[in-house]
Amino acid sequence: MKITVSTIVAAPVAEVWRAYTSPEDIKAWNTASADWHTTAASVDLRVGGAFSSRMEAKDGSFSFGFAGVYTRVAPGHCLAYTFGGRVGLVAFAPGDAGVTVTVTFDSEPTHAEDQQRAGWQAILDNFARHVESRHGQAG
């Protein structure tokens, strides 16, 4: 089953793309809640290039890695990737209100669909807040 989440980011597409693909930015926004953080991120932004991030509970009680390989890289337009035998796609669509970022991914069997959707949406919403706060400072 495919799950889709999206958000609108009020910033130029080049800035949105950079924040989505920059390891330092990923460490700042890649979390679903304030009691988690991303302690490491790497990006080899090319077809066949690997990416990874490490999310950890701030209290040290749990951590996990997220890693995959890019299968399509179209700067400012889309990223496609595989991860753990699943497929993901991130689309960037500029519009009057900002850039709509849509993430579609294969669900996994361990967690309920609504849990997966909520977690990925929370991360994407955090991404939008991160970019908009930086854009506001730059603008």
Side-chain angles (χ1 to χ4, degrees):
M1 171 189 359
K2 300 270 187 203
I3 297 175
T4 300
V5 295
S6 67
T7 193
I8 297 175
V9 184
V13 69
E15 193 172 328
V16 174
W17 174 266
R18 184 199 50 74
Y20 203 91
T21 58
S22 159
E24 287 307 308
D25 281 291
I26 292 166
K27 289 193 293 187
W29 62 258
N30 188 34
T31 180
S33 64
D35 54 342
W36 282 78
H37 59 160
T38 295
T39 57
S42 67
V43 173
D44 181 1
L45 195 58
R46 61 184 175 83
V47 172
F51 65 87
S52 67
S53 60
R54 180 109 188 123
M55 294 178 81
E56 299 179 5
K58 288 183 177 176
D59 68 4
S61 63
F62 192 76
S63 66
F64 64 93
F66 180 78
V69 174
Y70 295 113
T71 58
R72 182 169 180 216
V73 177
H77 298 282
C78 75
L79 279 174
Y81 54 91
T82 59
F83 63 110
R86 297 157 57 202
V87 174
L89 175 68
V90 185
F92 302 81
D96 292 341
V99 179
T100 300
V101 180
T102 303
V103 180
T104 303
F105 61 96
D106 292 337
S107 64
E108 49 90 5
T110 307
H111 298 91
E113 176 187 350
D114 60 337
Q115 286 180 304
Q116 293 177 69
R117 184 182 318 281
W120 285 61
Q121 185 67 58
I123 292 169
L124 196 55
D125 291 344
N126 200 43
F127 169 72
R129 284 189 295 275
H130 169 75
V131 176
E132 290 171 354
S133 72
R134 291 185 61 141
H135 179 65
Q137 293 171 0

